[in-house]
Amino acid sequence: MASKKKGSVRKFGTIDKFAYAMGDFGNDFTFILSSTWLMKFYSDVMGVGVGIVGAIMMAARFVDAFTDTAMGQIVDRSKPTEKGKFIPWMRRFMGPVALASFLMYASWFKGMPMGFKVVWLVITYLLWGSICYTGVNIPYGSMASAITDDPEQRTQLSTWRNIGATLANMVVGVVLPLVVYYKDANGNSQLSGTKMTVAALVCSLLAVLCYTICTSLSVERVKIEVKTEKFSVGTLFKQLFSSRALVSIIVAAIVLLLAQLTMTGMGTYVWANYFNNTTYQSLANFGGVIVMLVLAIFVVPPMSKKYGKKEVSIFGAAVAVIFFGIAFILHTTNPTVYIICYLFGYFGLGFFNSVIWAMIVDVIDEDEIRRGTRSDGTIYSLYSFARKCGQAFSSGLTGALLTLIGYTSATAFDTNVVNGIYNVSVLAPAIGFGALILVLVFWYPLGKKTVDANAETLRKKREGR
């Protein structure tokens, strides 16, 4: 890996951070829409059981064991074009991923036979997540290594990526609850299929706009070598399991996503069914957005620079465990109290998500020092697969727990069911963040001192070329 000659391209600055944020802004217009609303849409509008939806979402993510790894190999072996190595792949898939996302919310099929609706969900969900989202997300995540080789600047890109995702959550999590529900004759909040379809279309169009801004303004300054050696599944898994840093960050990603996606997925049910007030859902999500932005812009960067990315992630996760535990003990019927606990729970997300993408680059750096070659696309694809395993487990777990407590469209407002919804919404994140702490403390090896030493080693290596 070598940097392009200084002066031949624009210097790293605000434009790069803004452009990179737009990439995850685009990603999460479809990803957050799926993780927050898809199960609710198919259970309440299309009439498909939550257990079936959860099983489909879980099974589809395991297909990514092949598509993510394949995309990582394709990216690593691609020859750079005039725009770089990663941007062209984003441009190829940004239209298809938006279209596939829209097709998942086909409310015009709600009167079709159950078998047809299940098959439609399987096809469109695989097309969106396992093919199109993989096609745009693997090169997008890998591109950070090509934008800059400076560790601090990479941390800034990770922070801005989190900002982009948070802005998408403002639209999907804050605006949608205000527009996609209606009150039935009994005064219960019900999801409108037609409004949900329109919302999905708007999100898809906005995703394409964000991707366009990202690929137009991003500059790949660092030349990433093209991999030419023959691909071997055995070598790939040897690379995976021989790296303590890679295995541990993958496990951390899985448990974090179990916490995060249960928060978002169950949030749709806890507000609509337990509190029967979707306005508070919008307020809670808006508060979460503010917490994430404040942490990402003002708090996490100086703290991670001083104490280290691993260290601040442990602190944030500990705060989340405490407040989700309080929420479980209180079992409050006061939405304001719940929102307060929920927002403090966001500390776990805010700290870890602001630095996680920079931590992946730390893992890639450590792997380069250990093996002598660099594999950005391959390692990122393995990490992305782990994230999708987390999504799969979360979807399956959410569907299974909702089924276990007896949730159907007919029992959605029964007392025992809504109390079960509340318990799941706070216990699952508490357990997930607790597991994250254990992984980071006892397994993940890249603390601040090690990361700084690795960066210095690679800097000397590049300067010696």
Side-chain angles (χ1 to χ4, degrees):
M1 183 178 71
S3 298
K4 295 180 180 179
K5 293 181 179 180
K6 293 182 179 180
S8 61
V9 295
R10 182 187 74 230
K11 290 184 178 180
F12 180 88
T14 302
I15 293 177
D16 297 279
K17 292 180 279 190
F18 170 75
Y20 203 65
M22 287 298 101
D24 222 31
F25 201 173
N27 272 343
D28 281 352
F29 268 121
T30 64
F31 176 76
I32 295 179
L33 190 71
S34 170
S35 61
T36 304
W37 296 99
L38 188 65
M39 184 174 290
K40 184 76 170 174
F41 173 79
Y42 268 88
S43 64
D44 290 16
V45 175
M46 306 297 278
V48 181
V50 288
I52 296 174
V53 178
I56 291 172
M57 294 173 74
M58 180 171 63
R61 294 285 65 80
F62 287 115
V63 175
D64 298 344
F66 304 97
T67 59
D68 275 12
T69 303
M71 194 65 211
Q73 288 294 313
I74 290 170
V75 168
D76 276 345
R77 296 169 189 275
S78 296
K79 294 182 179 180
T81 68
E82 195 173 302
K83 274 298 288 182
K85 186 180 178 75
F86 305 105
I87 291 173
W89 285 108
M90 291 185 64
R91 287 179 169 174
R92 292 182 185 114
F93 279 97
M94 64 186 191
V97 74
L99 177 61
S101 176
F102 167 67
L103 291 176
M104 288 194 294
Y105 304 89
S107 60
W108 56 86
F109 286 144
K110 65 182 179 181
M112 297 293 286
M114 181 62 65
F116 177 89
K117 290 184 287 188
V118 170
V119 171
W120 181 261
L121 172 60
V122 170
I123 292 173
T124 55
Y125 194 66
L126 283 172
L127 180 63
W128 167 74
S130 300
I131 299 175
C132 299
Y133 188 81
T134 290
V136 73
N137 189 48
I138 295 297
Y140 167 70
S142 304
M143 186 171 65
S145 296
I147 293 175
T148 176
D149 55 6
D150 181 272
E152 186 174 340
Q153 291 174 354
R154 287 174 174 176
T155 300
Q156 293 171 11
L157 288 178
S158 178
T159 297
W160 278 79
R161 176 173 183 165
N162 187 43
I163 291 172
T166 302
L167 292 174
N169 189 43
M170 181 177 290
V171 178
V172 178
V174 176
V175 177
L176 261 62
L178 299 177
V179 299
V180 298
Y181 284 103
Y182 68 93
K183 292 287 187 180
D184 63 14
N186 297 319
N188 295 323
S189 299
Q190 301 286 358
L191 186 65
S192 167
T194 302
K195 291 179 179 179
M196 195 65 224
T197 301
V198 173
L201 175 61
V202 172
C203 286
S204 289
L205 294 175
L206 290 174
V208 172
L209 175 62
C210 291
Y211 285 138
T212 302
I213 294 172
C214 174
T215 56
S216 298
L217 297 181
S218 294
V219 175
E220 297 185 21
R221 297 174 179 80
V222 182
K223 183 180 179 182
I224 307 295
E225 296 174 357
V226 178
K227 294 190 65 148
T228 57
E229 66 268 25
K230 186 178 180 180
F231 172 69
S232 168
V233 174
T235 301
L236 179 67
F237 279 94
K238 182 179 179 181
Q239 177 181 349
L240 168 61
F241 291 110
S242 65
S243 172
R244 177 182 173 185
L246 181 55
V247 173
S248 57
I249 201 67
I250 282 176
V251 175
I254 291 175
V255 297
L256 183 278
L257 278 161
L258 285 173
Q260 178 181 356
L261 297 181
T262 305
M263 283 175 63
T264 56
M266 291 303 303
T268 307
Y269 291 90
V270 77
W271 291 112
N273 300 90
Y274 180 79
F275 288 108
N276 194 22
N277 192 321
T278 55
T279 301
Y280 275 105
Q281 179 183 357
S282 179
L283 291 174
N285 289 335
F286 180 73
V289 167
I290 298 302
V291 169
M292 294 285 276
L293 289 176
V294 170
L295 290 175
I297 297 173
F298 301 108
V299 179
V300 177
M303 285 187 65
S304 62
K305 184 177 181 180
K306 182 176 181 179
Y307 299 108
K309 296 183 280 290
K310 167 184 173 177
E311 292 78 2
V312 299
S313 297
I314 293 170
F315 168 74
V319 173
V321 171
I322 291 170
F323 278 89
F324 277 119
I326 291 172
F328 175 72
I329 294 171
L330 293 178
H331 199 95
T332 182
T333 57
N334 186 324
T336 302
V337 173
Y338 185 87
I339 287 177
I340 292 172
C341 293
Y342 182 81
L343 295 184
F344 275 102
Y346 252 85
F347 269 73
L349 290 179
F351 277 89
F352 191 70
N353 278 354
S354 293
V355 298
I356 180 57
W357 306 109
M359 292 172 78
I360 297 305
V361 180
D362 292 341
V363 172
I364 294 171
D365 286 347
E366 189 267 347
D367 186 71
E368 181 181 0
I369 291 174
R370 187 171 54 88
R371 298 192 308 115
T373 59
R374 194 170 182 89
S375 304
D376 296 79
T378 300
I379 290 179
Y380 186 83
S381 68
L382 287 169
Y383 174 71
S384 179
F385 168 60
R387 287 180 63 86
K388 290 185 178 180
C389 284
Q391 297 167 25
F393 290 135
S394 175
S395 299
L397 179 63
T398 301
L401 289 174
L402 284 170
T403 302
L404 185 64
I405 63 179
Y407 182 90
T408 66
S409 57
T411 64
F413 294 91
D414 289 356
T415 301
N416 290 336
V417 171
V418 297
N419 283 332
I421 288 173
Y422 180 95
N423 290 335
V424 171
S425 74
V426 293
L427 271 181
I431 294 171
F433 282 116
L436 176 63
I437 293 172
L438 296 177
V439 172
L440 292 178
V441 171
F442 296 107
W443 198 352
Y444 182 68
L446 301 183
K448 187 178 188 301
K449 290 183 179 180
T450 303
V451 169
D452 291 344
N454 287 348
E456 180 64 16
T457 299
L458 291 178
R459 184 186 65 81
K460 292 178 179 178
K461 176 184 176 182
R462 289 190 289 270
E463 288 178 351
R465 287 185 171 179

